[in-house]
Amino acid sequence: MADPLLERARALLASSPVVDGHNDLAWTLRGKAGYDLDEIDIAQPQPALHTDLPRLRAGGVGAQFWSVYVSPRLAGDHAVSATLEQIDAVRAMAARYPADLALARTAGQVEAAAASGRIASLLGAEGGHSIDCSLGCLRMLFELGVRYLTLTHNDNTP
């Protein structure tokens, strides 16, 4: 017998998918596999990770902000280059799984991804140290698709 509450929840998710504002998968891929998506195939269940495509689908996630986090221990140019590597990793995920993920920069692109049955993939930078106090870096992150920057993480930002 079908659970009416579960059916109601599924209907709600179908009409209003979850938008997850923070996911550290790219940083995890860096540490566990050097971003090697052959080594960690997120199209398959990955019980050792917090995220994989089957769980995103099962959870009704329609849009995901992938955090392009770098450790506050990285500073200056090292933080900037590591942030760029994180952006590259998210783009590589979207390219590898085009039936599941679609890069998005605007609300319209999020809606288009949903209409095509894909998870909209947005970028958010975590920690102002990621731009090394440079508004030029911030503008370039925007050009690369980053749509939010948190001012601090665990440490102060100059």
Side-chain angles (χ1 to χ4, degrees):
M1 180 163 82
D3 179 346
L5 291 177
L6 182 58
E7 293 305 315
R8 183 173 174 215
R10 286 186 177 138
L12 181 62
L13 285 172
S15 66
S16 302
V18 171
V19 177
D20 183 349
H22 181 98
N23 189 310
D24 283 323
L25 180 59
W27 185 253
T28 300
L29 290 172
R30 173 188 171 113
K32 290 190 178 287
Y35 302 118
D36 186 347
L37 294 170
D38 287 328
E39 185 174 330
I40 298 178
D41 180 4
I42 63 166
Q44 304 303 315
Q46 295 294 329
L49 303 180
H50 293 162
T51 303
D52 54 45
L53 291 173
R55 281 186 281 176
L56 289 173
R57 295 287 192 188
V61 175
Q64 178 67 73
F65 271 96
W66 301 103
S67 177
V68 292
Y69 163 83
V70 298
S71 170
R73 287 182 224 120
L74 294 175
D77 293 346
H78 297 290
V80 174
S81 62
T83 301
L84 294 174
E85 289 173 358
Q86 292 285 290
I87 293 168
D88 184 61
V90 171
R91 288 172 172 247
M93 283 191 317
R96 182 172 179 119
Y97 307 105
D100 294 295
L101 303 175
L103 291 174
R105 295 173 183 223
T106 66
Q109 290 172 342
V110 170
E111 291 172 349
S116 70
R118 297 182 293 165
I119 299 166
S121 293
L122 301 113
L123 298 165
E126 186 176 0
H129 64 288
S130 296
I131 63 169
D132 191 24
C133 299
S134 168
L135 292 179
C137 283
L138 179 62
R139 286 188 289 272
M140 295 295 27
L141 291 186
F142 182 83
E143 288 298 316
L144 292 172
V146 173
R147 289 303 180 255
Y148 74 72
L149 171 72
T150 63
L151 297 179
T152 64
H153 185 256
N154 290 326
D155 297 320
N156 290 335
T157 301

